[in-house]
Amino acid sequence: MILPHFTHHTPGTVQDCIKILTEAEYKPQILAGGSDLLVRMKLGLTTPGELVSLSNMDELQEISCDPKRGLTIGAGVTLARLVSDPLVNEKCPVIARAADLVATKQVRNIATLGGNILQNTRCRYYNRSAEWGKAVAPCYKRGGELCHVIAGKRCFAVYQGDLAPVLIALQATVRLLSKEKDIEVDLESLYSKDGAAPFNDLKGRLLEQITIPAPSLTCRSDYKKYRLREGIDFPLAGVAVTLKEKHGFVEDLRVCLTGVASRPVLLTFNGETAVGKPLNQNLIKEVGQMVYAAARPLPNLEGEPSRRRAMTRILTEDILTSFM
Ligand SMILES: Cc1cc2nc3c(=O)[nH]c(=O)nc-3n(C[C@H](O)[C@H](O)[C@H](O)COP(=O)(O)OP(=O)(O)OC[C@H]3O[C@@H](n4cnc5c(N)ncnc54)[C@H](O)[C@@H]3O)c2cc1C
């Protein structure tokens, strides 16, 4: 597979980066580690004429913690650095654990947090070569009018990022920079439910940093994923859980799933189901059942959908049991 031609920009500051993104003529796209984007380009799934590399932008490499604001991580920090960074491991170890579950060491050495969050959706009928694509009618994600998986009116390609569910369960916010104005929004709001266009309003925007708010840093949190090969694979179902307790009773409980829909699926148990109750086997079973009901994987990845669905309950119950 050969990469198509493109112009390569290497701005040294975020201002220069945004200027290039705004002024470039030939479908500019941000290049971080390239472990998602370059593979898609080689398959002919995307054809940006200009790539704007983040590799020279030190501003995106910072990790800091402020007692009021929380833990802030630059979008350009690699997953390998997240795994070993002392501040991340001290303040929010679940991020290091989840990063360690992504792909392989080689990929983690180049892959960034920003690229992980903003990786594209995937489907067994889409992540194929251009030749394969010519042999079948184009699906929604290839610009056509059908889905090969289900008779639906939209694309059902799956979001399989490992870090987003963890960060969404922790109520993380993201800072987006653009020519018009800089904004800070909930990470969850970035995701659309359309697998063909998985992100809301990202055009011309640079993801600068991710912040885990200070109150979330005192929660208990964990992430587990189900995959075919332990050594490398994307999640076929992934579960992140964040729990806050007060005097032995649940104050806030959030579960976020990946690998089962076109976006991360957040479930908040801040009503009668969980709040004010002790974390016991009855509650764990009830939460596991609600997670199972919310997960609706389709046969568009490897692995049986029924197995992937069952794993969402099993992993949720495993994590909650470990919190008892
Ligand atoms: C063999 C293999 C196994 C993999 N396994 C996993 C896995 O288990 N779990 C998992 O989650 N992922 C997996 N991946 C996918 C991918 O490698 C990771 O998600 C990685 O973190 C992507 O980061 P990157 O920096 O390489 O992103 P890139 O490929 O550079 O970018 C991905 C997308 O994000 C955009 N982008 C990147 N940074 C920014 C920014 N700061 N602002 C705005 N837009 C931005 C790019 O324009 C692009 O559209 C795997 C990939 C491979 C090749």
Side-chain angles (χ1 to χ4, degrees):
M1 291 186 292
I2 297 169
L3 271 176
H5 287 285
F6 56 84
T7 305
H8 188 229
H9 303 274
T10 49
T13 64
V14 292
Q15 288 78 12
D16 287 350
C17 175
I18 288 160
K19 191 164 184 285
I20 297 168
L21 283 175
T22 314
E23 293 174 2
E25 283 177 56
Y26 304 104
K27 290 198 285 177
Q29 208 165 334
I30 289 173
L31 174 70
S35 60
D36 182 47
L37 181 60
L38 295 181
V39 179
R40 284 166 46 75
M41 286 172 67
K42 283 187 173 184
L43 289 172
L45 299 174
T46 182
T47 51
E50 306 192 37
L51 292 186
V52 189
S53 169
L54 305 184
S55 60
N56 280 354
M57 290 164 51
D58 293 344
E59 292 143 288
L60 303 186
Q61 299 297 331
E62 286 165 21
I63 302 179
S64 63
C65 192
D66 175 271
K68 286 207 180 103
R69 185 165 156 74
L71 178 68
T72 297
I73 304 174
V77 169
T78 64
L79 301 185
R81 186 168 156 217
L82 284 181
V83 173
S84 60
D85 186 81
L87 194 57
V88 172
N89 276 280
E90 183 199 329
K91 301 291 180 191
C92 203
V94 64
I95 295 178
R97 283 200 296 277
D100 202 21
L101 293 175
V102 174
T104 61
K105 216 170 210 173
Q106 292 88 336
V107 175
R108 293 192 293 272
N109 281 338
I110 54 163
T112 63
L113 178 58
N116 190 275
I117 290 171
L118 299 179
Q119 67 180 275
N120 217 292
T121 52
R122 304 172 62 80
C123 173
R124 71 195 323 175
Y125 298 96
Y126 172 74
N127 294 86
R128 302 275 190 151
S129 67
E131 286 67 34
W132 190 93
K134 282 180 205 150
V136 293
C139 63
Y140 288 117
K141 206 163 164 66
R142 284 181 187 263
E145 288 295 318
L146 62 91
C147 172
H148 293 296
V149 183
I150 182 173
K153 289 201 161 49
R154 66 168 175 91
C155 168
F156 289 86
V158 187
Y159 181 78
Q160 289 186 279
D162 277 310
L163 271 302
V166 174
L167 295 167
I168 289 173
L170 289 165
Q171 301 185 70
T173 59
V174 289
R175 202 167 135 80
L176 299 167
L177 312 182
S178 69
K179 194 180 160 222
E180 287 75 37
K181 70 169 183 184
D182 304 342
I183 52 170
E184 179 133 10
V185 295
D186 288 342
L187 170 59
E188 197 208 354
S189 71
L190 285 192
Y191 299 93
S192 83
K193 67 170 192 180
D194 181 3
F199 301 105
N200 293 321
D201 227 13
L202 265 186
K203 200 159 178 268
R205 292 202 156 124
L206 170 70
L207 169 58
E208 184 197 29
Q209 60 187 30
I210 298 93
T211 298
I212 297 94
S216 294
L217 299 177
T218 59
C219 294
R220 302 176 75 178
S221 194
D222 206 357
Y223 174 72
K224 284 183 188 281
K225 72 193 261 193
Y226 164 58
R227 53 184 162 176
L228 292 184
R229 296 167 298 179
E230 275 299 303
I232 184 167
D233 278 329
F234 286 88
L236 296 175
V239 178
V241 181
T242 295
L243 170 72
K244 190 165 196 134
E245 285 175 298
K246 198 171 182 185
H247 307 309
F249 297 98
V250 174
E251 201 173 51
D252 191 23
L253 174 60
R254 287 161 199 275
V255 177
C256 191
L257 311 178
T258 190
V260 293
S262 293
R263 52 167 293 149
V265 179
L266 175 66
L267 290 97
T268 50
F269 298 90
N270 49 14
E272 282 176 12
T273 319
V275 174
K277 293 185 181 175
L279 183 68
N280 57 26
Q281 279 305 334
N282 285 344
L283 179 58
I284 291 175
K285 289 272 170 246
E286 200 178 337
V287 170
Q289 186 52 40
M290 290 169 83
V291 168
Y292 178 82
R296 298 282 176 85
L298 295 170
N300 49 2
L301 300 177
E302 304 82 3
E304 274 295 305
S306 58
R307 174 86 181 140
R308 289 166 50 212
R309 191 177 189 198
M311 285 310 291
T312 60
R313 174 168 52 197
I314 292 167
L315 298 179
T316 304
E317 292 180 1
D318 270 5
I319 294 175
L320 285 171
T321 304
S322 75
F323 288 167
M324 277 176 70

